Every structure is written in structure tokens, then in C-alpha cells.
């Protein structure tokens, strides 16, 4: 039986992506090979508890959810994440995967919605982007840019154009909390008439920067 190293399993509102606001069970896997400067889940880098896949599924089922989000850390850093995603889809949940874009998504179950970052220069991890993932994106997948400043915005706008992302999948622009003013980012998007979805981290405005929310 597969085992996964789990930081937390909790029930909350989805704070970002195109399912924002929907009640969702989050399965947060432990560990991440990246160290983004704005990371808000550093507590998931280490620790956690090893759980059997059946135990994870039981804990998820206890909430009777419609939506399940597998996140981290970087969930794909654990090989058993792929098996977890299959099991969640087989159980009938609407499953999303939040991934950094640094690891190959080609083996992810096609029923899963990939919410994949492209790391901007301001993240400090731009060189980790695995751009070959872009060719594997489905129309229902989402690419997320966390914008730290004007230079990040310009970079993200160029990636949007260079990869024709707006015609591949949904694109999300999000201000890095405490670094980029949200209103200013919204105004840039409108000025340039970008085909992207602006988003803020809803859970941060509701509950602050706390674990389990």
C-alpha cells in the first residue's frame, strides 16, 4: 500500500484558482524542492506524518466533499501523489493539483485539473520552470503567475504572448501578498487588455496567514 507524507488535511474555501470560494478538502503533502521568496507554506517543507493511502482517502471522505485539492509544498515531489490523484478521481471527486511547474506533469491523471505556476523572476526560482509542461496543458488546466512587481508583470505578459497561453488554458494573475499592490495589478491588466483572470488569495483576507485555512 502506498504511503504519503502529509502535513495536513483540512476543509476550507478554495482561496484561488477558478474554483475560488467553493468548499474544498485540501490534502497538503510535505516537502518541496523550491524555495520561493514569497512562500506562505514553509511549514510544509519538513515534518508531516506518513499515512497509508487508504487512511488519506478515509479522512477526505469524512468531509463528504465535492472538490478536493492536492497541494504542498510540491505534491509531485512524492511519487505516491500520482496514485493518490487516481484514487481521488476514481472516488468521484472533482480533483485539482496545485504544482510549482518545476516537475513533469505528463503522468498526472488526465481527469485532474492542473493549477500550475510559472515562476516569475521575483520568486527567485525562475530557472526551475519546466517549460515543456506547457505543451501538456489541457484547456481546463490553469497557469498561475504570482506577480511581485512591475518587472514580474512584464515578464508574465511576455510569457503569455510567447506561449499563446490564453488559447491553451486559463491564465491567472495574482499579486504577491505584501509585495505587489492588488489594485495596481488590476489596472495593468485592464490597461493592456490581457486575457487573464485576476485573483487574490481569498483565504488570506478571511483568515490571515494561518495553517489549516
Amino acid at each position: 500500500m502506498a504511503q504519503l507524507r502529509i502535513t495536513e488535511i483540512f476543509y476550507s474555501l478554495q482561496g484561488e484558482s477558478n474554483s475560488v470560494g467553493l468548499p474544498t478538502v485540501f490534502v497538503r503533502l510535505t516537502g518541496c524542492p523550491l524555495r520561493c521568496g514569497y512562500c506562505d507554506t514553509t511549514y510544509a517543507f519538513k515534518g508531516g506524518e506518513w499515512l497509508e493511502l487508504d487512511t488519506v482517502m478515509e479522512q477526505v471522505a469524512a468531509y463528504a466533499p465535492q472538490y478536493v485539492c492536492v497541494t504542498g509544498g510540491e505534491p509531485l515531489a512524492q511519487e505516491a501523489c500520482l496514485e493518490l490523484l487516481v484514487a481521488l478521481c476514481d472516488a468521484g471527486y472533482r480533483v485539482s493539483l496545485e504544482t510549482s511547474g518545476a516537475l513533469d506533469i505528463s503522468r498526472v491523471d488526465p481527469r485532474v485539473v492542473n493549477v500550475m505556476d510559472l515562476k516569475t523572476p521575483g520568486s527567485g526560482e525562475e530557472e526551475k520552470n519546466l517549460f515543456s509542461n506547457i505543451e501538456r496543458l489541457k484547456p481546463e488546466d490553469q497557469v498561475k503567475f504570482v506577480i511581485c512587481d512591475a518587472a514580474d508583470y512584464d515578464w508574465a505578459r511576455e510569457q503569455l504572448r510567447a506561449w499563446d497561453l490564453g488559447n491553451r488554458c486559463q491564465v491567472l494573475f495574482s499579486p504577491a501578498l505584501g509585495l505587489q499592490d492588488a489594485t495596481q495589478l488590476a489596472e495593468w491588466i485592464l490597461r493592456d487588455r490581457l486575457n487573464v483572470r485576476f485573483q487574490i488569495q481569498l483565504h488570506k483576507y478571511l483568515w490571515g496567514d494561518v495553517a489549516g485555512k
Side-chain angles (χ1 to χ4, degrees), residues 59-132:
Q59 292 190 23
V60 169
Y63 295 102
Q66 182 176 1
Y67 294 88
V68 179
C69 177
V70 178
T71 186
E74 168 49 70
L76 290 179
Q78 294 189 44
E79 179 70 18
C81 175
L82 297 171
E83 191 171 340
L84 170 63
L85 293 169
V86 171
L88 291 168
C89 290
D90 287 348
Y93 302 121
R94 299 177 68 173
V95 183
S96 62
L97 169 71
E98 294 186 344
T99 180
S100 65
L103 300 179
D104 182 13
I105 64 170
S106 65
R107 296 168 60 204
V108 172
D109 190 297
R111 295 172 292 179
V112 172
V113 173
N114 295 292
V115 183
M116 187 186 84
D117 278 21
L118 281 180
K119 296 300 183 184
T120 63
S123 73
E125 294 284 27
E126 177 190 359
E127 73 281 359
K128 300 288 181 59
N129 286 317
L130 187 63
F131 286 104
S132 58

